[in-house]
Amino acid sequence: MTSKFIEIEMTPTANGIGGFFSTAASFRLDNFKAPFYDIEVKIDTGCSISTIPLNRLKVSDSLCQLLKRIDVTNEVPYFLSYGIGSGGLKHTIPVTDAEKMDCPAMKFEHGISDFVIGGVKIFSDKIYLNYDRCGNVLIGMDILENWDIHIGISRKTGKNVFLACPMENVCGEYVEALKEHFGIAFHHAA
């Protein structure tokens, strides 16, 4: 099902404190022949660079290591991402190929196509892949930075809701959803 904007109700955590916004995504990666469908992704406005940990997609450890070796050998651009759990610890930057293969913090730039999140076609053509971690697929601000985003308690449902729409595609349905959920009158310059 296609949509012009993303509308997600917050999923509460097991202990009832806080929650998260997740939805399904589908995409093709430039280093896989088969497409991925209905993959759970989490919206993370605190994440700078969207990342797919391939272990999360049930890709075998041996294939992950082979793909990482290919990326290291081909000097594919990468970022080091230690995540919130490493809390300011000092990390050595991997230099040799062996150090890079041992470093779980590397995420490599790859092409992505046929990218759809929550029914909305995404025009981003790159994403970062991590071959060592099995955390959540995170959709971050590199994708969402040019979107209109609202999060809050819905007047319509009483639940915490995430509404987002690419600024270049703001439509009447999105404007109506803003009004229904949050009482917001949105004026978009055409």
Side-chain angles (χ1 to χ4, degrees):
M1 182 170 109
T2 60
S3 180
K4 295 180 181 178
F5 64 96
I6 295 174
E7 180 176 340
I8 308 169
E9 198 172 279
M10 186 174 82
T11 302
T13 59
N15 65 11
I17 300 172
F20 54 90
F21 295 102
S22 68
T23 190
S26 299
F27 49 84
R28 287 185 174 274
L29 298 172
D30 65 1
N31 59 347
F32 278 85
K33 288 184 180 178
F36 293 90
Y37 295 108
D38 297 321
I39 302 299
E40 181 186 14
V41 299
K42 287 191 177 179
I43 305 298
D44 187 348
T45 59
C47 173
S48 300
I49 299 170
S50 300
T51 305
I52 299 173
L54 284 182
N55 283 322
R56 184 67 171 206
L57 305 183
K58 309 244 185 301
V59 176
S60 72
D61 289 339
S62 58
L63 181 53
C64 282
Q65 288 308 296
L66 173 65
L67 293 171
K68 184 175 183 179
R69 169 71 60 202
I70 291 168
D71 283 1
V72 168
T73 301
N74 291 335
E75 299 181 353
V76 171
Y78 67 88
F79 282 102
L80 295 177
S81 175
Y82 293 98
I84 195 163
S86 63
L89 298 174
K90 292 203 181 240
H91 302 282
T92 57
I93 297 173
V95 177
T96 67
D97 285 0
E99 290 170 342
K100 290 176 182 176
M101 289 303 296
D102 287 340
C103 179
M106 298 182 79
K107 55 185 176 185
F108 296 86
E109 181 180 305
H110 277 275
I112 191 167
S113 59
D114 301 330
F115 195 10
V116 176
I117 299 173
V120 177
K121 179 154 179 49
I122 306 299
F123 296 102
S124 178
D125 60 353
K126 69 179 176 180
I127 198 145
Y128 287 81
L129 305 181
N130 178 284
Y131 299 109
D132 299 292
R133 295 185 175 155
C134 56
N136 296 306
V137 177
L138 299 178
I139 304 303
M141 292 309 295
D142 57 327
I143 290 174
L144 300 172
E145 67 184 343
N146 295 314
W147 288 49
D148 184 70
I149 298 172
H150 294 270
I151 301 171
I153 304 299
S154 168
R155 294 175 5 173
K156 179 179 174 182
T157 66
K159 309 266 179 150
N160 205 321
V161 172
F162 173 92
L163 290 179
C165 185
M167 286 300 291
E168 71 269 10
N169 291 332
V170 169
C171 58
E173 295 94 332
Y174 178 66
V175 171
E176 187 59 33
L178 283 174
K179 192 185 320 176
E180 285 180 1
H181 285 289
F182 306 124
I184 296 173
F186 184 90
H187 301 286
H188 178 56

